[in-house]
Amino acid sequence: MKLVTAVIKPHKWEDVRAALETVGVTGMTVSEVSGYGRQKGHTEVYRGAEYDISLVPKIRIEIVVDDADVEVVTGSIVQAARTGRIGDGKVWVSPVESVVRVRTGERDEGAI
Amino acid sequence: MTSLALRPLVLDTGDTAWLLVASALVLLMAPGLALFYGGMVRSKGVLNMMMMTFGALGVIVVVWVLVGYSLAFGDDVGWGLVGDPTQFFGLQSLMSEDSNGDGTVPRILFAVFQGLFCVITGALVSGAIADRARFGAWLVFVAVWTVLVYAPVAHWVFDFSAGDHVGGWIANDLGAIDFAGGMAVEICSGASGLALALVLGPRLGFGKDPMRPHNLTLVMLGAGLLWFGWFGFNAGSALAANQTAAIVFTTTLLAGAAGSLGWLLLERLRDGHATTLGAASGLVAGLVAITPSCGSLTPLGAIAMGGVAGVVCALAVGLKYRFGYDDSLDVVGVHLVGGLIGTFGIGVLGSAAAPTGVDGLLYGGGVDQLGKQLVGGGAVLVYAFVVSGIIGVVIDKAMGFRIHEEHELTGIDQVVHAETAYDLHATAGARSGHSVLGTMTHREDNE
């Protein structure tokens, strides 16, 4: 099992959700987060005073998937989230040792 | 400002109805200002910012009725400096219809209308000391300030001599024009705010940490309410539903609009963006400048006055970074500078065709009126700055004016008022005794 984590632009969230639904992903955890990459945020101006805002709003998606589904899930996220401009985000995959469904007590593959 | 005493003898229901409405409009400026200022501070200080306005409202109207109105509009007790402090104690003597003297509106209504001017002036000062003043010290300040700063200045500027009544020196001896409070409200609040900003010192992290406005939609809503209320402020100062009020209404509309455009134009050229905060600030700057001059300009003059104020105030708000004083919400840059523009501008743009106007420099009137305006505005600036500074220092020594450093970092709302403005996280406000980030205790639970 793997944990696929994606950090994407907020306005691409609906596209990514639709793409994941198409490839059969049934559940995920989504959070509003902030961060920055190589672009180092942006500048805002209030009454002439410039503020460098280093943290940019992002959406973070977490999905636990079977090993066999990793490629199709990451691929669909990358395809749906890409605008080609700076700040499109990242997707990474980490190993998962064990999963338990709280309601039934099912474990691992049965709990995904 | 037209003196009550100069008006005809009989009460007029139209005038009275208008002044009742105008007074309510001026009161609406208080919550308007609370929203305007509240949106400009960080989210951890929005409630305290609003409470400084509402607290000032509570304190000032009471002090005004007890002694403020007498000091401002009582018979002069010497050299045009201050009125008899006991003359209208509690407004008791204004209860009967006989007390109306020779005005067309009830004198008690005039007293309340003027008291609301004091409220908005005091509340404006708080913008200079956002996020760092002890609430109790602030309330003490506005009470003392009403007595020692605002009421005397209102006497100088607004109290006209008539019959047996002797008024203040700026209105009568000097002859400077201030229709609705460029000196008494704008210069006075700006100079007082500057003094307090210097007494309290800058916010922790000023000039280093980002302290951007936390909610510009509140700012826009507040600015809109301020503009709405400003019609009562300026056109109500005609004290009658007449041609003067109509002209003042027009100039108030035009100067606000032109002020907004002026600020936006400067921003677009200087920073590359026309911002919402700029639109709101510019309209306030235009309204500030038209406050003294609303009865002295033509409509075209009002557009010029508002536009100049929008541009100059937009430039002036940067002064705090250059000189290092933390006038947090630009009371100096907008109200002091805008008030000076409007007060001095009468000597330049004033037109005899306007109800309270005399020909200024551009209308061939020479420098006579400009000189009077400079003396009046300068005197109010120096007096308000010095006396407010002294009051601030005394309060600081006696009870402490500034909150504890750690409390300032935590957030003044939570520490001083035991509240936070926004509950945006499900985990932060659980109703039962146990929550992740906080524990709620019902009073019943303790019984």
Side-chain angles (χ1 to χ4, degrees):
Chain A
M1 294 171 299
K2 294 284 188 286
L3 170 66
V4 177
T5 307
V7 172
I8 61 167
K9 285 182 171 172
H11 74 270
K12 294 304 273 180
W13 151 243
E14 281 299 333
D15 293 343
V16 170
R17 189 189 60 79
L20 289 170
E21 232 167 56
T22 308
V23 298
V25 173
T26 53
M28 65 192 82
T29 303
V30 181
S31 35
E32 294 179 25
V33 295
S34 4
Y36 63 88
R38 268 183 273 178
Q39 84 274 22
K40 295 289 180 203
H42 62 269
T43 304
E44 296 179 9
V45 183
Y46 298 94
R47 280 183 172 164
E50 283 198 8
Y51 294 83
D52 290 323
I53 310 300
S54 56
L55 295 176
V56 182
K58 296 285 176 189
I59 294 286
R60 175 187 172 117
I61 304 168
E62 289 159 299
I63 314 164
V64 179
V65 297
D66 282 339
D67 291 349
D69 297 333
V70 167
E71 277 310 312
V72 66
V73 167
T74 53
S76 64
I77 293 174
V78 168
Q79 192 181 13
R82 178 178 290 148
T83 67
R85 288 184 292 277
I86 203 157
D88 271 353
K90 296 263 189 302
V91 181
W92 62 93
V93 180
S94 358
V96 173
E97 283 188 11
S98 181
V99 176
V100 184
R101 173 172 279 129
V102 173
R103 175 169 57 87
T104 59
E106 290 166 277
R107 289 194 157 264
D108 299 336
E109 276 73 13
I112 290 177
Chain B
M1 176 67 59
T2 310
S3 170
L4 263 188
L6 294 176
R7 311 206 61 77
L9 287 166
V10 186
L11 281 188
D12 183 286
T13 53
D15 291 350
T16 304
W18 164 233
L19 196 59
L20 284 164
V21 171
S23 300
L25 287 173
V26 179
L27 177 64
L28 188 64
M29 294 173 81
L33 185 73
L35 290 165
F36 184 65
Y37 275 177
M40 271 192 275
V41 296
R42 291 165 291 177
S43 58
K44 65 181 179 178
V46 52
L47 295 178
N48 175 258
M49 195 68 248
M50 293 180 153
M51 279 294 281
M52 285 209 274
T53 293
F54 279 81
L57 174 61
V59 169
I60 289 174
V61 290
V62 173
V63 173
W64 183 258
V65 165
L66 294 178
V67 65
Y69 179 67
S70 303
L71 287 166
F73 292 96
D75 291 329
D76 191 75
V77 292
W79 306 293
L81 294 177
V82 70
D84 177 355
T86 61
Q87 191 170 348
F88 300 106
F89 175 75
L91 305 187
Q92 188 69 22
S93 58
L94 303 184
M95 293 287 285
S96 77
E97 289 193 18
D98 305 337
S99 65
N100 290 322
D102 44 9
T104 65
V105 295
R107 189 172 286 268
I108 195 166
L109 175 58
F110 175 75
V112 169
F113 179 67
Q114 287 297 331
L116 293 167
F117 276 53
C118 185
V119 167
I120 201 71
T121 310
L124 281 170
V125 176
S126 66
I129 54 168
D131 286 349
R132 60 196 188 281
R134 288 184 57 209
F135 186 59
W138 164 248
L139 296 185
V140 172
F141 173 82
V142 287
V144 179
W145 171 91
T146 298
V147 173
L148 297 184
V149 178
Y150 184 82
V153 168
H155 180 70
W156 302 355
V157 174
F158 288 151
D159 192 18
F160 289 85
S161 300
D164 297 339
H165 176 71
V166 179
W169 70 276
I170 290 179
N172 301 290
D173 304 327
L174 180 64
I177 296 169
D178 185 358
F179 193 86
M183 295 182 224
V185 175
E186 309 299 351
I187 294 176
C188 184
S189 62
S192 300
L194 177 59
L196 277 199
L198 294 174
V199 170
L200 267 72
R203 286 167 293 180
L204 295 172
F206 171 67
K208 195 161 47 95
D209 298 344
M211 296 181 181
R212 58 196 170 125
H214 89 284
N215 190 335
L216 286 172
T217 53
L218 291 188
V219 173
M220 298 305 276
L221 177 61
L225 288 176
L226 278 174
W227 200 355
F228 187 62
W230 226 297
F231 289 112
F233 198 83
N234 284 2
S237 291
L239 301 179
N242 59 13
Q243 178 73 13
T244 299
I247 290 171
V248 166
F249 195 103
T250 307
T251 54
T252 302
L253 175 69
L254 290 170
S260 193
L261 290 179
W263 193 302
L264 288 177
L265 183 66
L266 181 95
E267 274 192 334
R268 182 67 182 81
L269 294 174
R270 184 184 64 186
D271 309 321
H273 302 278
T275 68
T276 52
L277 185 58
S281 310
L283 85 83
V284 171
L287 293 168
V288 165
I290 202 67
T291 295
S293 58
C294 55
S296 305
L297 304 182
T298 64
L300 290 177
I303 292 173
M305 178 70 84
V308 168
V311 170
V312 176
C313 290
L315 294 169
V317 296
L319 293 176
K320 65 179 178 183
Y321 299 109
R322 183 175 303 173
F323 295 113
Y325 61 89
D326 185 11
D327 167 24
S328 316
L329 308 184
D330 299 313
V331 184
V332 176
V334 175
H335 293 276
L336 179 56
V337 172
L340 291 171
I341 291 169
T343 299
F344 299 162
I346 293 172
V348 179
L349 286 167
S351 162
T356 61
V358 294
D359 281 337
L361 265 180
L362 289 182
Y363 286 78
V367 295
D368 184 45
Q369 192 61 38
L370 180 58
K372 294 175 181 178
Q373 299 300 121
L374 286 169
V375 171
V380 171
L381 195 170
V382 172
Y383 180 78
F385 177 80
V386 171
V387 180
S388 295
I390 292 171
I391 300 169
V393 168
V394 171
I395 290 175
D396 195 36
K397 300 280 182 213
M399 60 187 292
F401 212 141
R402 189 161 173 153
I403 59 170
H404 192 274
E405 190 171 304
E406 194 180 316
H407 293 170
E408 190 177 331
L409 292 171
T410 306
I412 192 167
D413 286 358
Q414 188 189 322
V415 176
V416 173
H417 303 291
E419 296 171 302
T420 46
Y422 307 102
D423 181 4
L424 300 176
H425 303 285
T427 48
R431 274 177 37 151
S432 66
H434 300 287
S435 76
V436 176
L437 298 178
T439 301
M440 180 173 178
T441 309
H442 285 289
R443 179 163 297 200
E444 302 83 43
D445 296 343
N446 294 332
E447 288 171 352

